[in-house]
Amino acid sequence: MEIALLLAQQIAQLFLILFCGYLIVRTGLLRAADSKVLSVILVYLVIPCVIIDAFQIQDSPQVRAGLLVSFGAAAAIHIVFLALTVVLRRPLGLDAVERATAIYSNAGALVIPLVQALLGQEYVIYSCAFIIVQLVLLWTHGSTVLRGAGSLSLKSILTNVNLISILVGAVLYLGHIPLPSVLVGAMDSMGNLMGPLGMLLAGMAIAESPLKQLLCTPRYYLTAALRLLIYPLAALALLWVSGAVSFLPDGKAILMTVYLAAITPACTTITSMAQLYGQDAGKSSSLYVLSTLLSIATMPVMLGLFDVVI
């Protein structure tokens, strides 16, 4: 439970930053549209630096084994999420936005700073496994769900800046190519901006959202419950049944990086994709904001269960 309390503290700190973003817009100092500049900095500069820096660790059989376990766990969890969505689609009447929101988490923006704070920089590389699996599925299955039909967008997959960063980091790792210490230090400094920038963006988005409609629409809570409670519990059951924690000496810590990614709120990219494919982007944005707000309570609970069960 100590880890769960630490997670609650970290999330509370991030939400204080979120509130600052909210105040900046509500007081008229900035507009919500101005957040696009921060978004570009976060997506195209900060996140790539964090990912590449994560691969700048000493290669060892233990690290390679950990990567295999984290990739296997991430792939298995996504398979469970996809299967669960197929089962629940008709009974719950889930539309395309709700299905995509339930399956895909905001791992890319939230899990890395949380792993850095809870476990240390050396475990960030394992969280990249979940991000890689999700990126591929998001731009194949996810885009197909939101389009309703059509071929897969291979170009969107190959040109995704996060995936390119992961490939660059993997080449440096596998080729045993260390970057200059000055460059690594600069990327470390950039990485420290990731959590604050992500929360400022969320706060600015909330500031222009009709909070009364957001908080008083019961249907939104159903999708938020799937993303924050039902799907994380399914992932936890899978990890417990598989016994994967016994595969490695630090198996619990490695699986925790994967599980953290699975319990984060709705993926921010879904809103952009909803706009692109003619879906209800307003609904997607509302689900992102609501799930982000509720995650301050659900994530510590889910991680506390992980700490007890695994």
Side-chain angles (χ1 to χ4, degrees), residues 139-214:
W139 290 103
T140 53
H141 169 267
S143 63
T144 302
V145 167
L146 291 170
R147 275 199 306 267
S151 58
L152 300 180
S153 179
L154 182 60
K155 180 180 178 181
S156 297
I157 300 172
L158 297 178
T159 58
N160 183 279
V161 66
N162 287 339
L163 188 57
I164 292 172
S165 302
I166 290 168
L167 292 175
V168 171
V171 169
L172 294 174
Y173 168 74
L174 295 173
H176 304 283
I177 304 171
L179 295 174
S181 58
V182 173
L183 183 56
V184 173
M187 290 192 297
D188 283 339
S189 298
M190 279 290 182
N192 293 331
L193 297 172
M194 186 168 179
L197 278 179
M199 289 298 101
L200 282 174
L201 286 169
M204 294 175 74
I206 292 170
E208 71 169 4
S209 300
L211 290 182
K212 183 176 180 180
Q213 177 183 349
L214 174 69

Side-chain angles (χ1 to χ4, degrees), residues 1-9 118 299-301 303-305 307:
M1 296 304 293
E2 181 180 353
I3 293 178
L5 292 175
L6 179 58
L7 175 63
Q9 182 181 15
L118 295 172
M299 287 184 68
V301 172
L303 195 60
L305 289 174
D307 199 29

Side-chain angles (χ1 to χ4, degrees), residues 255-301:
L255 290 179
M256 185 183 292
T257 67
V258 178
Y259 189 66
L260 270 172
I263 66 176
T264 55
C267 179
T268 56
T269 309
I270 298 299
T271 299
S272 300
M273 295 175 73
Q275 291 174 328
L276 179 64
Y277 301 130
Q279 296 288 343
D280 190 344
K283 179 178 182 178
S284 178
S285 178
S286 296
L287 291 173
Y288 162 68
V289 172
L290 181 62
S291 64
T292 301
L293 288 172
L294 294 177
S295 69
I296 193 171
T298 61
M299 287 184 68
V301 172

Side-chain angles (χ1 to χ4, degrees), residues 94-128:
L94 300 176
D95 62 25
V97 169
E98 291 169 337
R99 298 200 306 274
T101 298
I103 295 170
Y104 299 108
S105 70
N106 201 19
L110 285 181
V111 71
I112 292 178
L114 289 175
V115 169
Q116 286 174 326
L118 295 172
L119 299 170
Q121 178 65 24
E122 65 272 20
Y123 282 93
V124 170
I125 189 172
Y126 303 120
S127 65
C128 289

